[in-house]
Amino acid sequence: MTSLIAERIAQVRQHLPASVKLIAVTKQVPALAMREAYNAGVRDFGESRIQEAASKQEQLQDLPDITWHLIGTLQSNKAKKALEQFQWIHSVDGLKLAQRLDRLAQQVSCQPQVCLQVKMLSDPNKSGWSVPELLNDLPELNQCSNLKIQGLMTIPPFGLNDSEILSVFERTRELADKIKQQNWSHIQMQQLSMGMSDDYKLAVQAGATMVRLGRILFGGRPTLQ
Ligand SMILES: *Cc1c(COP(=O)(O)O)cnc(C)c1O
């Protein structure tokens, strides 16, 4: 018998080109449900918080081929832990954090894959570079040679309609293209981490290469009052 989670994964996959990586976002999702996703073929898991992830990583130790993605805001005092626990960090949201991760990566000799989180519209609820700030910081980011900067991550502000959301995603892709054309030696722009449960189809339409899906796979998270 296929599980509900496996069914939902199969359904979502019908809307994803094979080249788009499905990242199962498992904040507040128990390890048992993650195993179901794993059994349905998911190998990429996204977590928002270091500590919650650590507990699940321990419970899922017997599944060695998982790639762990940090997608939530990273405080700089937890940067070292993040490097130890995650192969990907999607939420690198400023130059200071990037430089700190770069130094730490050198110390522990790892080469984390990272996305630069960018805000296409101003949004006080989100962290990330504005477009002008990011363009301004590229020369210094290019010096972060221990990081594998792979692309951009974005989350549209709440309350946009579909065409506005699509426009945010398209402009993110255009920004990545523009940076790509500048031919930085240590900045790749092959990856676009964008799209969540409510907007992933728009993200795919705009060229997302990684979608981060939680509720649509695991059901609603309890809302915090
Ligand atoms: C929670 C979260 C997701 C997944 O959101 P859903 O709406 O549950 O699909 C994706 N990206 C980030 C950064 C998140 O915090």
Side-chain angles (χ1 to χ4, degrees):
M1 213 181 76
T2 48
S3 75
L4 180 57
I5 290 170
E7 247 165 59
R8 289 171 177 156
I9 289 169
Q11 246 160 41
V12 163
R13 282 204 193 283
Q14 290 179 357
H15 300 283
L16 295 181
S19 58
V20 174
K21 195 185 283 297
L22 167 63
I23 300 174
V25 173
T26 49
K27 57 190 183 216
Q28 298 178 41
V29 172
L32 202 60
M34 294 174 69
R35 268 181 205 280
E36 283 186 35
Y38 181 93
N39 289 334
V42 172
R43 292 295 179 271
D44 293 270
F45 289 92
E47 287 278 346
S48 294
R49 305 177 65 177
I50 305 268
Q51 220 160 4
E52 184 183 341
S55 137
K56 287 158 189 187
Q57 286 168 338
E58 200 175 311
Q59 295 173 69
L60 299 174
Q61 266 177 36
D62 56 310
L63 310 176
D65 57 346
I66 292 178
T67 299
W68 293 93
H69 300 255
L70 180 65
I71 60 167
T73 305
L74 175 58
Q75 290 161 359
S76 63
N77 61 341
K78 297 192 179 146
K80 186 143 182 276
K81 283 222 165 91
L83 289 181
E84 288 162 0
Q85 287 177 230
F86 294 90
Q87 289 87 56
W88 277 85
I89 302 175
H90 293 235
S91 42
V92 177
D93 57 10
L95 183 60
K96 285 245 160 64
L97 177 61
Q99 289 173 329
R100 184 177 172 88
L101 286 167
D102 181 55
R103 282 194 302 276
L104 290 166
Q106 181 166 37
Q107 282 170 26
V108 301
S109 22
C110 68
Q111 288 204 305
Q113 323 233 41
V114 309
C115 294
L116 307 175
Q117 185 171 352
V118 63
K119 295 192 282 194
M120 304 311 291
L121 296 169
S122 80
D123 184 348
N125 299 313
K126 304 245 156 51
S127 54
W129 276 273
S130 70
V131 174
E133 286 165 351
L134 179 60
L135 293 172
N136 186 60
D137 283 348
L138 289 173
E140 282 169 283
L141 286 165
N142 193 54
Q143 307 285 315
C144 294
S145 57
N146 301 290
L147 303 182
K148 291 194 163 162
I149 298 174
Q150 301 285 26
L152 302 179
M153 186 272 235
T154 201
I155 307 171
F158 289 117
L160 301 185
N161 66 34
D162 280 5
S163 74
E164 291 164 336
I165 293 172
L166 182 62
S167 156
V168 163
F169 290 149
E170 285 174 343
R171 286 189 294 120
T172 307
R173 189 201 59 225
E174 286 159 14
L175 177 61
D177 290 342
K178 175 176 172 173
I179 296 171
K180 210 184 286 177
Q181 279 162 18
Q182 297 177 349
N183 282 317
W184 299 98
S185 55
H186 289 100
I187 301 174
Q188 302 291 312
M189 280 287 136
Q190 311 302 327
Q191 301 290 338
L192 288 171
S193 170
M194 51 192 202
M196 303 168 39
S197 291
D198 293 330
D199 58 20
Y200 76 98
K201 289 179 192 168
L202 298 170
V204 167
Q205 190 182 332
T209 63
M210 299 189 275
V211 292
R212 308 178 310 269
L213 303 181
R215 287 167 302 139
I216 201 172
L217 306 182
F218 299 103
R221 287 181 293 276
T223 45
L224 303 170
Q225 304 262 333

